[in-house]
Amino acid sequence: MGLKDIKLWEKKVPDTDSFSSVGDMNNKGLPTLTPYLLNGKIPRPALIVCPGGAFQFRASNEGEPIAKWLNQIGINAFVLNYRVAPYTPFTSTKDAVRAVRYIRYHALEFNTDPERIGMIGFSAGGYLTAFVGTRYDNGIIEPKSRNEQIMSILLGGTDLNDPIDQTSTRLNAIILCYGETAPFSKEKLPPESLLKNDITMDELIEFTSNHNHVSVRTPPAFLWVTATDHWNFQQQNLLFAEAINRLNQPYDLHIFSKGSHGLGLGEDEPMVAIWTKLCENWLKGLFNI
């Protein structure tokens, strides 16, 4: 069942003083979750749905339809209405991190198992999913290291007076659907407006290249992309899967020979539509549904 949107923060919303919400036609600067919860009191697994849209908008076909599909296979779903332009991808990342904390903190109220929370991201939403999956709880970042400094500069610290902010951001599964896992490179430099303090271009590229941060603590992953996707995220997905493979961690990788970008459920592309069944079987095995 769908409920009213849930505010991720009731007060002290990060970045509201730094960016104007003018131009953000989606949620006017207020990040929310749209819940799709199944009836009953049995704790169920849950997935946070992160639509794509190049951080300029959020694609509608990668939101509610995905949540309803997840409901059909016995999984609670929460569509993340993260902030987009004029906000930066780092504001979007803050929203994604907060979403995991919020759902885990309120798991009992949502009839959700706090040990079976995953995230599914499409295109730009795949970046958010890969980031949270590889950097949760800052657990793989050495204290007082340069990476910790960059994390603090770009994403800020936690509010010690907010119990939600003290809740784990650990994911139990990540699903990347034609995900953009590394948005910047030497060939595609980030805009200088994203550079803060003394962060260099090279540091920003390394920090946002999620395949560089895969570890044995990265949760089980399911990835799919098409060989003809014009956004050319195939190589990024291969690098991410290769990083997992080197550590002998579990993952599924599917590259379909035909299909455009932004397919969502893939119902209009017979060669791709099977991804939902493959993912369903993977999720049922992983979450013991």
Side-chain angles (χ1 to χ4, degrees):
M1 60 176 179
L3 301 175
K4 291 183 178 179
D5 285 1
I6 301 165
K7 295 179 182 178
L8 289 176
W9 285 273
E10 287 293 337
K11 55 184 179 180
K12 296 183 179 179
V13 182
D15 298 343
T16 51
D17 295 332
S18 304
F19 300 95
S20 167
S21 62
V22 175
D24 180 3
M25 297 181 293
N26 293 276
N27 51 355
K28 298 181 179 179
L30 297 175
T32 61
L33 286 168
T34 304
Y36 294 80
L37 304 179
L38 294 163
N39 292 321
K41 297 183 178 181
I42 299 174
R44 295 180 181 272
L47 284 185
I48 300 165
V49 181
C50 299
F55 297 109
Q56 301 299 309
F57 63 95
R58 295 185 305 276
S60 58
N61 69 315
E62 296 164 355
E64 183 176 64
I66 306 302
K68 289 183 174 180
W69 161 64
L70 291 169
N71 280 176
Q72 291 173 2
I73 62 176
I75 296 175
N76 286 331
F78 298 82
V79 176
L80 175 58
N81 307 305
Y82 59 89
R83 285 170 286 180
V84 294
Y87 295 87
T88 76
F90 303 124
T91 294
S92 307
T93 305
K94 291 175 186 176
D95 296 344
V97 168
R98 178 71 173 189
V100 182
R101 287 178 169 148
Y102 192 97
I103 294 168
R104 180 164 278 121
Y105 183 80
H106 292 281
L108 182 63
E109 164 186 343
F110 295 141
N111 294 326
T112 289
D113 183 349
E115 298 304 314
R116 290 188 293 170
I117 296 175
M119 186 175 284
I120 177 170
F122 297 78
S123 194
Y127 170 78
L128 301 178
T129 302
F131 185 96
V132 179
T134 54
R135 257 72 66 88
Y136 62 86
D137 296 342
N138 293 3
I140 66 166
I141 298 178
E142 183 181 349
K144 299 182 180 179
S145 67
R146 182 58 176 158
N147 260 342
E148 184 182 60
Q149 292 176 345
I150 296 172
M151 176 81 82
S152 178
I153 292 169
L154 294 177
L155 298 184
T158 58
D159 184 348
L160 298 178
N161 296 314
D162 184 348
I164 295 176
D165 248 15
Q166 308 309 310
T167 304
S168 173
T169 62
R170 177 175 54 86
L171 291 172
N172 304 105
I174 55 175
I175 300 170
L176 307 181
C177 306
Y178 41 91
E180 181 179 30
T181 67
F184 308 124
S185 66
K186 294 292 185 180
E187 293 72 35
K188 183 185 175 184
L189 294 176
E192 291 189 5
S193 61
L194 293 184
L195 296 175
K196 296 187 177 183
N197 294 2
D198 62 343
I199 297 175
T200 68
M201 195 71 76
D202 286 344
E203 286 178 324
L204 187 64
I205 291 172
E206 197 282 336
F207 182 78
T208 55
S209 297
N210 289 304
H211 59 271
N212 291 333
H213 303 279
V214 168
S215 76
V216 293
R217 300 181 67 209
T218 300
F222 181 101
L223 306 89
W224 73 269
V225 69
T226 66
T228 56
D229 188 329
H230 67 277
W231 281 103
N232 297 321
F233 293 155
Q234 302 91 337
Q235 185 64 28
Q236 293 184 23
N237 281 260
L238 286 169
L239 287 172
F240 197 88
E242 183 181 347
I244 300 173
N245 185 66
R246 282 198 301 267
L247 297 172
N248 294 316
Q249 298 300 300
Y251 72 97
D252 268 34
L253 171 64
H254 302 275
I255 302 179
F256 299 101
S257 61
K258 180 183 177 183
S260 60
H261 191 74
L263 289 171
L265 290 172
E267 294 171 323
D268 295 330
E269 181 53 73
M271 295 184 69
V272 175
I274 193 175
W275 84 262
T276 54
K277 187 61 180 178
L278 294 170
C279 191
E280 174 186 347
N281 292 338
W282 183 81
L283 282 166
K284 287 183 174 180
L286 180 66
F287 285 155
N288 194 27
I289 301 174

